[in-house]
Amino acid sequence: MTATLQDLAIEVRSKNAGPFWVTMELFMRDEAGYAVVADEAFINERLIEQLYDVPAADVRIFRIPSLNVVKISYPRPVPQGGLRDRDIHAGQHHVPLAVLAVPENNC
């Protein structure tokens, strides 16, 4: 069975960060899990571009080793509360990231 990011994390969540941004947070269980998500060869702007169809140049990734946390922010596809907004709180945006398979050499 392939491990996913949610298997290595205490919590993977997303939330709105104002009306124009989404922030996702990966709270890892330990330093080993943090090392997996902090690896720029694995979690990077290009991966977020592929998962969320946002330009890589607009993605911001914050690695916080003292907390074993990685935060990822990107512009919302539509403004919060707009006519085409399907998740006003951005509470479900984390799912593609949470179910992402961990590279086998990191399990």
Side-chain angles (χ1 to χ4, degrees):
M1 185 170 190
T2 303
T4 63
L5 289 182
Q6 67 188 354
D7 296 327
L8 302 179
I10 296 169
E11 184 173 10
V12 179
R13 69 182 182 190
S14 57
K15 58 186 179 180
N16 67 340
F20 305 108
W21 285 84
V22 170
T23 292
M24 298 182 294
E25 299 165 325
L26 296 136
F27 295 89
M28 306 314 291
R29 294 184 189 283
D30 52 31
E31 290 178 8
Y34 174 77
V36 172
V37 298
D39 182 356
E40 293 182 33
F42 177 43
I43 303 289
N44 55 50
E45 293 81 0
R46 290 169 306 287
L47 173 71
I48 302 306
E49 177 181 52
Q50 292 170 357
L51 290 176
Y52 294 96
D53 195 27
V54 295
D58 293 341
V59 176
R60 304 291 178 258
I61 300 177
F62 306 93
R63 293 169 176 87
I64 310 166
S66 61
L67 299 175
N68 292 332
V69 171
V70 172
K71 296 180 79 152
I72 302 165
S73 296
Y74 60 88
R76 292 178 67 98
V78 296
Q80 180 185 20
L83 181 62
R84 290 180 175 54
D85 186 8
R86 299 175 71 193
D87 184 0
I88 194 165
H89 299 291
Q92 301 303 312
H93 289 241
H94 68 283
V95 174
L97 191 61
V99 299
L100 187 65
V102 175
E104 288 191 28
N105 60 343
N106 289 313
C107 294

